[in-house]
Amino acid sequence: MKIKGNIVDIQNKRIFKGELTLKNGKILSVVEKEHNKTGYIMPGFIDAHIHIESSMLVPSEFAKIAVTHGTVSTVSDPHEIANVLGVPGVEFMIENGKKVPFKFNFGAPSCVPATSFESAGAIIDSNDIKTLLQNPDIKYLAEMMNYPGVLFDDAEVIKKIAWAKHFNKPVDGHAPGVIGDDITKYINAGMSTDHECFTFEEALEKLKKGMKVIVREGSAAKNFEALIGLLPEHFENMMFCSDDKHPDDLLLSHINNLCARAVAKGFDVFNVLQVACLNPVKHYNLDVGVLKEGDAADFIIVEDLKTFKTLQTYIDGALVFNNEKSLIETVNFENLNNFNCKEKEVSDFRIASSAKNIRVIEALEGQLVTNEIIENTKIEAGNLVSNLEKDVLKMTVVNRYKDDKPAMAFIKNFGLKEGAIASSVGHDSHNIIAVGVSDAAICKAVNLIIKNKGGICAVSNTTEKVVPLPIAGIMSDKSGVVIGQQYEVLDKMAKALGSQLNAPYMTLSFMALLVIPSLKLSDKGLFNGKDFKFTALEV
């Protein structure tokens, strides 16, 4: 097969009219040749750190959408399903991904459970990590979120890192706000990347100390604007990622959008494309072609080098996207789950108290980090209740793996004026998390999730809507288009109930993420992420 176009040679920073010859899924030759074609042939985009599960799609369905944006490969941490199902969950992701022509590169989840301060559905210890890393389908040790474990030389954490070094596979980092001597020790322990930088200065320090910085722009956490100014000087040591991307966002764009935004800011297009297409291949030793003779025939044809609108996507020489249509077929798969709790009573969400002040989680738009603030209480009949005037709403995390008393707290900036929203997508352990204006509304939303054995929902005084997520309680068995449309309806309902957040469900899903400071809620209680210990609700 021969394909003509304007060939983008990223490494040599040149564009020339040329022709590719493909044979048996490989690039046989790349030659300069005159023609009248207008498209640009370039390596495909790579998402350098993503949890496929956050798209609410199984890998095979994720691939169908990703190729429409020119993405040919992902570096995927199956941490979410691993926290629900353990090693069998990781195996499900690998096997499902193999059924379609797309290059998923899965890591061994390093933190299952993420901490000892929450209830997960499984444990992956250092022996499991050894077994996983022996598998050639496992390319790296996924993000070491337990950075305190690294800093304090936790024996089990050190063993996991040692196995990655033994098998010569890179270790992904996760160190939000960690700087100074702490980040030096963290890097020296073997961490090679970080996608959690949220300030320019933090990222610059990590780059200078030898880390690769992955610029994240997901549905909730958005760090592109803060970090992209580093690209001109540090493009050789940067990558792009989405980390967590909801289905409606994925339908709109992927890594192509970050390239378009970077080029629009005036950055050199070749440097931008090195970040987006080449650096992940080199860092993770991926079997992904970069338009060289002998490479796998993985490439895309785009309309221009400004918008990067994809016209065609090829993977291993197979045309997988053409003329606005994904050519990846739907495949069959088994529904795995782990959901073992009974419906709750309204009284389960009561907080008996006479306190004057409480600690409140302050959710921040576009960030995974939160603040701890102190607010006056509102008490009715001895029960702490939501204060709609101050936008201090009651929230809960309910253990979905066994019957237990719900953990309770309060949160600011969700903005609901009516009803409640809930989800069984609750990083990292994926217990049920809900926010609402009343105990009754919270109970109604939580029970809707339990009835469906997983999903996301919204309830008002008159309406209830739910998107079931039957695979591990975090993924749909439907297509990307269907789940994207269903999610969009729920997103609009949450905003109609009063939420001002850009992505209320994505933000909600991170309010139980203990490894990101400052104040979060697990199924075991309110947690201070800076001190890494539980703290009291009442002040």
Side-chain angles (χ1 to χ4, degrees):
M1 185 194 306
K2 296 184 184 297
I3 296 174
K4 297 184 180 71
N6 298 294
I7 296 174
V8 182
D9 182 353
I10 298 171
Q11 285 183 315
N12 293 309
K13 297 196 170 189
R14 63 189 287 258
I15 299 168
F16 60 90
K17 289 183 178 292
E19 180 180 78
L20 303 183
T21 302
L22 314 182
K23 186 176 182 181
N24 298 328
K26 302 283 187 183
I27 295 178
L28 201 61
S29 65
V30 182
V31 297
E32 295 195 33
K33 192 168 189 176
E34 282 298 319
H35 56 72
N36 57 4
K37 297 284 185 180
T38 56
Y40 291 81
I41 302 173
M42 53 172 275
F45 299 117
I46 300 171
D47 191 325
H49 175 79
I50 188 171
H51 305 279
I52 300 293
E53 303 97 311
S54 291
S55 69
M56 300 182 189
L57 301 170
V58 295
S60 56
E61 289 296 326
F62 174 94
K64 284 169 68 173
I65 300 175
V67 295
T68 69
H69 306 306
T71 304
V72 299
S73 179
T74 59
V75 180
S76 315
D77 178 2
H79 169 91
E80 314 304 342
I81 196 169
N83 266 278
V84 178
L85 294 165
V87 172
V90 178
E91 292 169 343
F92 169 86
M93 299 296 278
I94 292 171
E95 293 310 310
N96 181 261
K98 282 182 175 180
K99 292 179 178 179
V100 294
F102 188 87
K103 299 200 168 177
F104 292 102
N105 297 280
F106 288 104
S110 67
C111 300
V112 179
T115 72
S116 59
F117 304 103
E118 57 198 301
S119 301
I123 295 171
I124 293 181
D125 62 17
S126 56
N127 290 325
D128 297 319
I129 291 294
K130 176 187 176 183
T131 302
L132 284 167
L133 288 169
Q134 285 174 315
N135 184 344
D137 292 322
I138 296 290
K139 304 290 184 173
Y140 65 107
L141 181 64
E143 58 178 312
M144 180 48 73
M145 293 184 292
N146 188 2
Y147 59 85
V150 177
L151 299 179
F152 295 108
D153 299 311
D154 178 274
E156 186 70 359
V157 167
I158 300 305
K159 280 182 191 173
K160 292 175 179 178
I161 297 168
W163 281 123
K165 292 177 179 177
H166 175 79
F167 291 108
N168 197 28
K169 294 183 178 182
V171 184
D172 268 6
H174 166 115
V178 180
I179 55 174
D181 291 342
D182 284 348
I183 197 61
T184 300
K185 179 171 182 178
Y186 188 71
I187 293 168
N188 290 341
M191 308 312 121
S192 64
T193 68
D194 194 18
H195 59 276
E196 294 288 351
C197 302
F198 49 90
T199 68
F200 183 96
E201 294 74 21
E202 175 192 353
L204 181 59
E205 179 181 351
K206 289 172 178 173
L207 283 162
K208 285 182 174 179
K209 289 181 174 178
M211 251 187 168
K212 305 283 199 306
V213 165
I214 308 179
V215 178
R216 170 178 59 191
E217 192 79 353
S219 291
K222 299 180 183 292
N223 309 121
F224 178 88
E225 292 297 336
L227 306 182
I228 197 61
L230 291 160
L231 191 142
E233 286 191 37
H234 299 279
F235 66 90
E236 292 179 328
N237 293 304
M238 293 172 69
M239 296 175 260
F240 287 140
C241 83
S242 54
D243 197 1
D244 297 280
K245 200 167 181 70
H246 266 181
D248 57 335
D249 279 351
L250 183 62
L251 285 167
L252 295 175
S253 65
H254 198 195
I255 302 302
N256 57 329
N257 178 252
L258 302 188
C259 293
R261 288 168 62 183
V263 169
K265 288 178 179 290
F267 296 128
D268 179 89
V269 67
F270 296 106
N271 293 350
V272 171
L273 293 180
Q274 177 165 334
V275 170
C277 309
L278 303 191
N279 290 349
V281 176
K282 183 179 179 182
H283 181 74
Y284 292 101
N285 192 29
L286 305 181
D287 179 24
V288 178
V290 293
L291 272 191
K292 294 270 192 296
E293 290 185 2
D295 274 5
D298 308 320
F299 59 90
I300 60 177
I301 302 178
V302 297
E303 194 169 80
D304 57 52
L305 299 180
K306 292 181 179 178
T307 65
F308 298 97
K309 180 183 177 183
T310 306
L311 305 175
Q312 291 183 325
T313 302
Y314 290 83
I315 298 178
D316 284 332
L319 181 62
V320 294
F321 171 70
N322 186 38
N323 292 330
E324 309 288 329
K325 185 181 179 185
S326 178
L327 303 178
I328 294 178
E329 300 288 339
T330 295
V331 298
N332 294 323
F333 50 86
E334 182 185 357
N335 284 13
L336 305 175
N337 209 341
N338 185 3
F339 226 97
N340 298 302
C341 66
K342 294 173 185 162
E343 292 181 34
K344 304 301 176 186
E345 304 288 338
V346 175
S347 58
D348 291 329
F349 302 98
R350 177 183 173 86
I351 308 174
S353 177
S354 58
K356 294 280 196 295
N357 298 299
I358 52 173
R359 288 182 175 85
V360 173
I361 300 167
E362 183 183 27
L364 304 173
E365 180 68 81
Q367 298 290 345
L368 306 191
V369 292
T370 62
N371 291 328
E372 174 185 319
I373 58 176
I374 308 299
E375 292 280 358
N376 300 128
T377 56
K378 182 176 180 181
I379 299 176
E380 293 178 356
N383 177 32
L384 290 181
V385 297
S386 294
N387 187 332
L388 274 64
E389 289 182 7
K390 289 189 171 183
D391 187 22
V392 175
L393 302 179
K394 188 177 273 191
M395 71 175 290
T396 186
V397 174
V398 179
N399 188 330
R400 60 117 125 179
Y401 302 106
K402 66 176 184 178
D403 283 315
D404 214 341
K405 182 176 172 54
M408 305 302 301
F410 286 84
I411 193 162
K412 189 176 181 70
N413 288 341
F414 265 80
L416 299 178
K417 303 298 183 187
E418 180 189 342
I421 61 173
S423 174
S424 58
V425 179
H427 305 281
D428 281 313
S429 294
H430 300 291
N431 289 300
I432 303 164
I433 184 166
V435 173
V437 304
S438 68
D439 295 0
I442 290 170
C443 185
K444 186 178 178 182
V446 166
N447 285 343
L448 197 53
I449 299 297
I450 293 171
K451 284 176 193 172
N452 285 275
K453 293 194 178 297
I456 55 174
C457 75
V459 301
S460 69
N461 296 335
T462 57
T463 308
E464 55 182 54
K465 292 185 186 296
V466 63
V467 176
L469 299 174
I471 300 160
I474 56 176
M475 289 182 288
S476 174
D477 55 357
K478 302 288 191 295
S479 73
V481 172
V482 169
I483 191 69
Q485 291 169 344
Q486 290 178 340
Y487 176 81
E488 193 175 357
V489 168
L490 263 192
D491 184 67
K492 286 179 179 176
M493 182 171 173
K495 290 168 181 174
L497 294 174
S499 181
Q500 302 294 310
L501 291 168
N502 177 58
Y505 287 99
M506 186 64 90
T507 300
L508 180 68
S509 73
F510 290 111
M511 294 304 103
L513 183 55
L514 308 188
V515 294
I516 302 272
S518 171
L519 196 62
K520 298 289 173 71
L521 180 67
S522 88
D523 68 294
K524 295 182 178 181
L526 199 58
F527 190 79
N528 184 319
K530 288 183 176 175
D531 298 335
F532 230 66
K533 62 183 181 182
F534 289 112
T535 188
L537 173 65
E538 299 177 349
V539 178

